[in-house]
Amino acid sequence: MSVPQNLAKLRGLFGGVAALGAVSYLGYNSVFTVKGGHRGVVFNRIQGVKDTVYNEGTHIVVPWFEWPIIFDIRTRPKELPSLTGTRDLQYVNISLRVLYKPDEHHLPGILSNFGTDYDRRILPSIMNETLKAVVAQYNAEQLTTQREEVSRLVRRNLTERAMDFHIRIEDCSITHLSFGPEYTRAVESKQVAQQDAERAKYLVEMADQEKKSKIIHAQGEAQSAVLIGRAMQKNPAFAEIRRIEAAREIAHVVANSPNRVFLNSDQLLMNLTSDFTLQGKGEEEEVKAEQV
């Protein structure tokens, strides 16, 4: 076999390999696949960004003249911390968390105007601007007590602002809220002062109640003394009954005591016989005097 024949075969082999490679290249680059939760936009070297949005599935493009750009249209989170001033000139550290996604019908415009990193270019500025504008309408106390209302207002304003950039805001919430050390100390001092005021008010009420109790107790004792005096005037034996009751209590205490105690009847208030005897003799003498 001659050399020219071998060269011809090599050229044919190289040509076949090149043709196969070109076909493979064109076949591989003429189709692209859009995964679930994504959308595709095609850039053409002559027309630029096409207006067509490609849904999920496999699509055909012209190799080298066109290539696809894939967008993720699923909802994604973004959180932004910010140091913001309130209406009463207090500084607050606040963090805003946003769930967003691009408007799939305006993906060609987003690609032409903002690029694929539209979220990093647009969201931080409009989130910070909206958050500062809303927080400035409330004072520090309202931010704490009306947190849900503040979040709702931020979401409404941010949704309207993001529509200009074809971004949809799915949700918006305040995840962190803290004040400066000066404000925290002022709040703590206020709480301590309120607690001291409540404690002082409670002590005043206690003193008033104790005063009323003493007055009522004194009035009861005075009334009791009056009633006892009237009872003794009507029936002199009432005093003897009270003495017997006192002697009974003393005897009960002595009986329950573990110590041995010796007492005479006078110490037990039991010298009742002599008193009754003297009283009886006095009554007999009075009767005899009346008879004489």
Side-chain angles (χ1 to χ4, degrees):
M1 186 177 294
S2 62
V3 175
Q5 291 179 349
N6 292 334
L7 291 176
K9 290 182 179 181
L10 287 176
R11 288 194 193 98
L13 179 61
F14 288 144
V17 171
L20 180 62
V23 171
S24 299
Y25 173 79
L26 293 175
Y28 178 78
N29 291 278
S30 62
V31 296
F32 68 95
T33 301
V34 179
K35 298 180 180 179
H38 295 71
R39 294 292 184 271
V41 177
V42 173
F43 178 81
N44 187 282
R45 289 183 181 273
I46 299 175
Q47 300 178 4
V49 179
K50 290 185 174 182
D51 295 333
T52 304
V53 177
Y54 295 86
N55 296 325
E56 302 168 358
T58 302
H59 306 276
I60 299 175
V61 294
V62 179
W64 191 80
F65 283 97
E66 297 177 342
W67 61 86
I69 295 95
I70 307 300
F71 281 87
D72 186 354
I73 63 168
R74 294 173 295 185
T75 301
R76 290 181 291 176
K78 189 173 187 63
E79 187 168 353
L80 176 72
S82 177
L83 180 63
T84 309
T86 62
R87 189 175 62 182
D88 53 352
L89 303 180
Q90 297 292 336
Y91 285 98
V92 54
N93 292 311
I94 188 169
S95 295
L96 183 66
R97 187 175 187 270
V98 172
L99 297 178
Y100 71 97
K101 68 178 182 179
D103 188 351
E104 61 178 287
H105 301 291
H106 295 85
L107 289 179
I110 293 176
L111 179 61
S112 300
N113 297 321
F114 313 117
T116 56
D117 57 345
Y118 64 93
D119 53 346
R120 290 185 297 174
R121 294 187 178 188
I122 298 172
L123 284 178
S125 59
I126 63 175
M127 288 174 62
N128 197 24
E129 176 188 2
T130 305
L131 185 62
K132 289 181 180 296
V134 173
V135 171
Q137 302 177 18
Y138 297 87
N139 56 37
E141 184 178 358
Q142 290 175 336
L143 286 178
T144 304
T145 58
Q146 303 177 14
R147 185 167 179 171
E148 183 178 356
E149 180 181 348
V150 175
S151 297
R152 186 166 54 251
L153 183 58
V154 170
R155 178 179 179 180
R156 187 188 68 184
N157 295 349
L158 185 59
T159 300
E160 296 176 356
R161 189 78 174 87
M163 287 177 61
D164 298 335
F165 303 95
H166 309 298
I167 300 176
R168 293 183 178 181
I169 303 298
E170 300 292 330
D171 188 29
C172 180
S173 60
I174 296 175
T175 58
H176 176 72
L177 182 66
S178 63
F179 298 93
E182 294 81 6
Y183 181 79
T184 304
R185 286 194 294 268
V187 172
E188 292 177 353
S189 301
K190 181 180 178 181
Q191 294 295 329
V192 171
Q194 290 180 350
Q195 293 177 0
D196 292 341
E198 292 294 332
R199 187 180 298 108
K201 181 179 178 181
Y202 174 73
L203 293 176
V204 170
E205 290 180 355
M206 272 190 61
D208 190 21
Q209 294 296 328
E210 186 177 358
K211 177 182 177 182
K212 292 181 180 179
S213 176
K214 290 182 178 179
I215 293 174
I216 293 173
H217 181 69
Q219 291 176 350
E221 290 185 347
Q223 187 69 19
S224 176
V226 171
L227 294 176
I228 291 174
R230 292 177 181 176
M232 292 180 66
Q233 289 178 358
K234 294 180 180 179
N235 187 5
F238 178 78
E240 301 301 331
I241 295 175
R242 297 296 294 269
R243 290 175 63 183
I244 294 173
E245 291 177 353
R248 183 186 302 169
E249 292 179 0
I250 295 173
H252 180 72
V253 172
V254 172
N256 293 330
S257 175
N259 301 322
R260 182 172 297 178
V261 180
F262 295 94
L263 298 173
N264 56 25
S265 60
D266 293 335
Q267 291 174 330
L268 284 174
L269 302 177
M270 292 300 293
N271 52 348
L272 303 176
T273 306
S274 59
D275 293 340
F276 283 128
T277 303
L278 293 175
Q279 185 177 1
K281 289 182 179 180
E283 292 177 352
E284 291 178 357
E285 292 177 356
E286 289 179 0
V287 170
K288 290 180 180 179
E290 291 178 355
Q291 291 176 354
V292 173

